[in-house]
Amino acid sequence: MRQVRCDIRYVSLVDLRDRWGGGFDVVLSDPPLRIRGGDEGPEQGSMLSNALYSHKYRTMSLVEHADLNLEVLSSRGFFFLWSLKSLEDYARRCLRKYGYQYLRTLSWVKMLPKSGKVHNGHGYYFQHAHEILLVGCKGDVNEQVVSFLTKVSSDAIFGAAHEASAKPSAVHEFIEEAFPSSRKLELFARSTRPGWYSLGDQLSLWAQCYSCDFCETEIEVTEVRWKKKVGETKDLCNSCFVRQKCSEEDYFQIENAEDAEDAVLHEYTSCDCCKVESIQGVRFSCSECPDFDLCEGCFDERDELHSIGVTKHPPSHAFRAVNEYHPVSYCW
């Protein structure tokens, strides 16, 4: 398993590093910082604050981010840290705290997807049209045992701006080209990428398709699939379930939703592992604990997450699959 969906603040990075075979040569981080103010004008005060907006992801304070013990992830190599220009000094302090020496700053020039023109954002004196990517090195850059290729990219990256805070894939591409044989880790990742280890609470928020672990064919939407209750996680299509003469007592019977909009939304019920609010899709509820629920992604990885300390829930407890929403009723 090369990805773990969890809140990085509550995971044992040391256990995770060791589980994944040791330190990483390259770390890419895009922290979801809670910004209380940016550029200030003479009379206007703060001109930029994401505290005014609702996000599809959880943010963290500058103190919470600085307190992360990211220094344990590697004893060598390079760290790429995204930052706003107004937080550049803070980002440099974080690099030092994590044990990295500042090397260079790259700039991502934001472009409009359709027109290709520069995307201008907020700002007081000037409109912001770029974000910066700080590069740090742990150890002597001239004596690095991590192999890397120089001059594969300029210090300016031109890429389209899409959903809020999403970064261009061109950054991953040039890192892959510059560090072809390195162990790469992305923190606060939104999606997985071949050749990378990924860690973040936005991974696989909704799995739109499943494959049968026996015949390896995609299980069609609205088709019944069978998920094993205990032991190694398996999803079987209905044909393989019948052909293998599996017992219904050992599997959950689940009907795939056609898309995210058709999936059940369990309002006010969050996943006790990745902390995602209002579980979407099948909810797995512990049959022995009064209030312990997992989304399907965390249920599939429950043994792995328990072994690295993400959850303390007893792995021997049985679960039941809940695919219907039961609204909470109140008595006044």
Side-chain angles (χ1 to χ4, degrees):
M1 183 182 66
R2 283 176 168 259
Q3 65 275 344
V4 172
R5 179 184 168 195
C6 65
D7 191 321
I8 296 178
R9 292 172 294 184
Y10 309 119
V11 67
S12 172
L13 294 177
V14 173
D15 291 343
L16 186 63
R17 176 203 63 196
D18 295 342
R19 185 107 183 153
W20 277 345
F24 296 93
D25 303 322
V26 179
V27 179
L28 172 63
S29 179
D30 181 19
L33 299 179
R34 188 177 308 125
I35 305 167
R36 293 297 181 183
D39 292 343
E40 296 185 356
E43 300 176 354
Q44 301 297 326
S46 295
M47 292 296 295
L48 175 63
S49 173
N50 66 13
L52 302 177
Y53 303 94
S54 60
H55 291 280
K56 296 181 180 179
Y57 55 89
R58 287 187 298 276
T59 58
M60 63 173 57
S61 69
L62 301 184
V63 174
E64 286 178 311
H65 174 253
D67 284 344
L68 295 174
N69 60 331
L70 303 186
E71 60 272 12
V72 305
L73 292 173
S74 177
S75 60
R76 64 182 190 183
F78 297 83
F79 199 106
F80 292 80
L81 178 60
W82 283 104
S83 173
L84 295 176
K85 182 64 178 177
S86 59
L87 295 176
E88 183 175 5
D89 290 341
Y90 164 81
R92 291 198 184 203
R93 291 196 300 271
C94 287
L95 283 179
R96 289 196 297 270
K97 190 261 184 183
Y98 302 150
Y100 291 85
Q101 175 187 355
Y102 167 77
L103 289 182
R104 295 288 187 275
T105 297
L106 309 181
S107 295
W108 166 38
V109 181
K110 300 181 180 181
M111 312 297 291
L112 293 172
K114 294 183 178 180
S115 66
K117 296 180 179 179
V118 174
H119 181 279
N120 292 318
H122 301 281
Y124 181 80
Y125 295 106
F126 303 98
Q127 290 180 295
H128 298 162
H130 78 287
E131 291 187 32
I132 58 176
L133 181 62
L134 279 67
V135 185
C137 174
K138 183 173 287 190
D140 191 334
V141 68
N142 296 317
E143 299 178 0
Q144 275 292 324
V145 294
V146 178
S147 60
F148 65 96
L149 304 176
T150 60
K151 301 178 182 179
V152 299
S153 173
S154 69
D155 58 2
I157 301 169
F158 294 84
H162 294 286
E163 58 182 296
S165 189
K167 301 303 188 291
S169 59
V171 173
H172 297 84
E173 293 169 1
F174 100 75
I175 290 178
E176 291 164 359
E177 187 176 355
F179 304 90
S181 58
S182 64
R183 287 169 47 82
K184 295 176 281 289
L185 168 68
E186 183 175 10
L187 300 175
F188 308 102
R190 295 186 173 192
S191 60
T192 59
R193 189 174 178 89
W196 289 71
Y197 292 84
S198 306
L199 190 63
D201 63 0
Q202 295 185 72
L203 290 171
S204 302
L205 285 178
W206 172 250
Q208 293 186 341
C209 62
Y210 296 85
S211 296
C212 175
D213 289 308
F214 188 81
C215 66
E216 298 183 348
T217 59
E218 183 176 324
I219 302 175
E220 298 293 333
V221 295
T222 70
E223 181 184 348
V224 171
R225 62 185 168 94
W226 299 85
K227 180 179 291 290
K228 195 173 182 182
K229 294 181 179 180
V230 296
E232 182 182 0
T233 301
K234 289 183 179 180
D235 286 283
L236 299 181
C237 65
N238 194 59
S239 298
C240 289
F241 180 84
V242 174
R243 191 179 302 118
Q244 297 300 312
K245 299 180 180 180
C246 299
S247 171
E248 293 187 10
E249 295 181 356
D250 299 329
Y251 285 79
F252 294 118
Q253 182 178 353
I254 300 172
E255 183 173 317
N256 285 340
E258 187 168 355
D259 52 38
E261 293 183 358
D262 291 335
V264 176
L265 181 65
H266 303 272
E267 293 186 271
Y268 312 113
T269 303
S270 61
C271 176
D272 287 292
C273 187
C274 68
K275 310 301 180 184
V276 65
E277 299 178 359
S278 298
I279 295 174
Q280 191 168 21
V282 184
R283 169 170 61 92
F284 293 86
S285 181
C286 181
S287 301
E288 302 179 46
C289 298
D291 185 21
F292 188 86
D293 299 275
L294 296 177
C295 64
E296 186 162 3
C298 290
F299 176 81
D300 288 347
E301 300 170 358
R302 62 194 182 282
D303 292 340
E304 183 84 9
L305 295 173
H306 181 271
S307 66
I308 61 176
V310 176
T311 174
K312 303 297 183 183
H313 183 262
S316 59
H317 283 195
F319 283 82
R320 58 189 178 90
V322 182
N323 206 21
E324 296 180 352
Y325 170 56
H326 301 283
V328 179
S329 58
Y330 298 92
C331 296
W332 302 95

